[in-house]
Amino acid sequence: GVVVVEYYKEALRELFFINNPKFKKEIPKSEFALKKFLKNNNVDEVWIYFPWRNIAVHTVSEDNYFKLRTARNKNIITEKEQKSYRESVVGIIGMSIGSASLSSLVATGGPKNLKIADFDTIEISNLNRMHATLLDVGKNKCIVAAQRAWELDPFANIEPWQEEIKTTTAKNFIIGKPKLNVLVDAMDTLDTKVRARIICRKNKI
């Protein structure tokens, strides 16, 4: 009953043109080189299963997938900056507006390690700002946000906190392993906002 999405060969095709910019698409010379590459390639393949959709995707391994996903970032940020961006650890508290921050981070090949927190469930009135749909109403906000992120970056290490971050738990979220490099504050509670800033200032986050 699993739906299979086959994208390995198409990913290889994309990879060929990214690795060989001298070749242009739809040119006979390029097609010959492409066919040779497809026949002799040794690019690792993976299957990725998304249980909430019951879909399995066949594609290239993590390093090549990341290369494809960040190919259009070149000349915007350097390779060194992209690596540093990927290796950073970011936490987001509050997934109504915070889901937009998460989507932007993941879309641009950002942090592999992420902590996200929200204890609340999605209501229809949240849909004016949260990256979610009517089909997500009634589900936990950070679980829905994590699932959307994994569908774009299935190799990300996302830690969903389905609990309210309070003044007593903020420290564990911020400096508990893995310690954050950046905290995105999208929460509502004023005393926790203040407490989070004190913790971040003290720990140079």
Side-chain angles (χ1 to χ4, degrees):
V2 176
V3 176
V4 173
V5 176
E6 179 55 63
Y7 204 76
Y8 178 68
K9 189 173 181 181
E10 187 59 36
L12 287 180
R13 180 182 172 85
E14 276 194 275
L15 200 59
F16 169 79
F17 285 108
I18 287 169
N19 289 338
N20 300 279
K22 65 179 180 180
F23 291 114
K24 305 300 178 186
K25 295 178 181 178
E26 312 306 333
I27 295 175
K29 184 180 178 182
S30 299
E31 288 299 316
F32 176 79
L34 173 61
K35 286 179 181 177
K36 185 178 179 182
F37 168 75
L38 293 175
K39 184 179 180 180
N40 300 318
N41 90 86
N42 59 351
V43 177
D44 290 339
E45 55 190 297
V46 294
W47 285 92
I48 303 163
Y49 179 59
F50 300 93
W52 55 93
R53 288 188 179 270
N54 199 28
I55 292 175
V57 180
H58 185 210
T59 188
V60 291
S61 57
E62 180 178 358
D63 55 341
N64 286 301
Y65 182 77
F66 186 70
K67 181 182 284 189
L68 290 173
R69 286 247 298 106
T70 57
R72 304 297 171 91
N73 289 359
K74 288 184 178 178
N75 302 325
I76 298 174
I77 62 175
T78 66
E79 190 173 336
K80 183 179 179 181
E81 288 168 337
Q82 183 77 66
K83 185 173 184 290
S84 177
Y85 185 33
R86 182 65 170 171
E87 291 174 352
S88 61
V89 182
V90 174
I92 306 172
I93 305 176
M95 281 294 107
S96 285
I97 293 174
S99 64
S101 298
L102 178 63
S103 293
S104 296
L105 288 168
V106 174
T108 50
K112 182 173 180 177
N113 294 298
L114 293 146
K115 293 180 185 178
I116 60 174
D118 204 311
F119 70 98
D120 210 356
T121 56
I122 298 171
E123 298 176 334
I124 293 175
S125 58
N126 298 135
L127 300 180
N128 73 325
R129 60 199 181 281
M130 183 169 182
H131 284 211
T133 72
L134 185 59
L135 303 179
D136 299 314
V137 170
K139 299 176 183 176
N140 176 266
K141 289 179 180 178
C142 73
I143 294 300
V144 170
Q147 289 173 349
R148 286 178 64 95
W150 275 317
E151 288 176 9
L152 188 55
D153 184 359
F155 303 101
N157 299 319
I158 303 173
E159 188 179 334
W161 286 48
Q162 299 180 68
E163 60 187 79
E164 185 177 6
I165 300 298
K166 301 179 180 180
T167 54
T168 52
T169 57
K171 184 176 181 180
N172 190 29
F173 181 86
I174 295 167
I175 66 171
K177 293 184 179 180
K179 178 185 173 184
L180 303 184
N181 300 117
V182 174
L183 172 67
V184 179
D185 168 18
M187 56 184 142
D188 300 323
T189 313
L190 184 58
D191 57 347
T192 311
K193 283 176 174 286
V194 174
R195 178 64 180 152
R197 280 160 173 72
I198 292 170
I199 295 165
C200 287
R201 183 174 61 186
K202 184 178 180 181
N203 293 277
K204 298 181 178 179
I205 295 168

